[in-house]
């Protein structure tokens, strides 16, 4: 009898995002979270004579985009967080993104939400939210196999 490998199954409900301890829900239909370094770790510099050097950047900050349906109640939570930060300058909160099945985890002890763009149309649309972070926690892993 041939060995049968389990077919992996992805469940978007098992991607858990929280901001300031509040769960973020009501994700857009397609890609709903993107977590990207704010800056490349290395920068190449080539001199006039072709000599090459590189600089190491100690920037562990990220830009995170979470895209919700325009009808998501989490839009209210994030709008209030933005308004509070704008009024007080005290809106830094924890941002956590965990994909339970893969073990992918991104944790930022300090993050803030940027003022969102806003558009409406005939059908239910999407509402993107951009978070800027301080340094990522050392526990942050990307969970990418390979």
């Amino acid at each position: 009898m041939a060995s049968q490998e389990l077919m992996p199954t992805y469940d978007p409900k098992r991607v858990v995002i929280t901001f300031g301890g509040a769960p973020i829900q009501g994700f857009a239909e397609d890609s709903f979270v993107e977590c990207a370094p704010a800056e490349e770790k290395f920068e190449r510099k080539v001199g006039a004579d072709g000599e090459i050097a590189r600089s190491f950047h100690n920037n562990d900050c990220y830009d995170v985009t979470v895209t919700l349906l325009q009808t998501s109640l989490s839009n209210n939570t994030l709008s209030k967080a933005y308004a509070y930060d704008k009024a007080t300058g005290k809106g830094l909160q924890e941002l956590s993104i965990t994909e339970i099945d893969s073990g992918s985890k991104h944790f930022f002890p300090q993050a803030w939400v940027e003022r969102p763009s806003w558009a409406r149309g005939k059908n239910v649309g999407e509402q993107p939210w951009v978070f800027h972070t301080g340094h990522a926690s050392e526990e942050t892993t990307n969970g990418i196999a390979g």
Side-chain angles (χ1 to χ4, degrees):
M1 179 182 227
S3 170
Q4 292 186 359
E5 293 184 31
L6 294 177
M7 181 184 307
T9 301
Y10 167 72
D11 182 352
K13 283 188 175 184
R14 295 183 55 82
V15 176
V16 178
I17 302 173
T18 62
F19 182 60
I24 304 301
Q25 300 171 322
F27 301 125
E29 181 178 15
D30 201 5
S31 180
F32 59 84
V33 64
E34 180 181 346
C35 188
E39 179 178 47
E40 292 291 330
K41 274 299 187 192
F42 293 94
E43 181 179 354
R44 177 181 56 204
K45 192 66 136 181
V46 180
D49 63 353
E51 185 171 320
I52 301 169
R54 69 181 189 160
S55 300
F56 178 78
H57 296 175
N58 290 295
N59 182 349
D60 291 325
C61 300
Y62 279 74
D63 296 320
V64 177
T65 303
V66 175
T67 306
L68 305 176
L69 292 172
Q70 77 182 46
T71 55
S72 170
L73 295 178
S74 292
N75 289 312
N76 296 336
T77 301
L78 297 176
S79 290
K80 289 176 185 175
Y82 170 75
Y84 176 76
D85 195 20
K86 182 179 171 188
T88 67
K90 298 179 181 179
L92 293 176
Q93 299 187 54
E94 293 179 349
L95 176 64
S96 175
I97 305 160
T98 304
E99 185 178 14
I100 295 167
D101 294 328
S102 74
S104 177
K105 184 180 290 188
H106 297 278
F107 179 74
F108 308 97
Q110 296 182 321
W112 65 97
V113 65
E114 186 177 278
R115 180 175 55 116
S117 59
W118 195 87
R120 295 295 184 261
K122 179 180 177 181
N123 294 313
V124 173
E126 297 178 350
Q127 179 63 60
W129 291 92
V130 176
F131 298 84
H132 297 295
T133 78
H135 292 292
S137 165
E138 291 182 16
E139 298 172 13
T140 296
T141 60
N142 66 13
I144 296 173

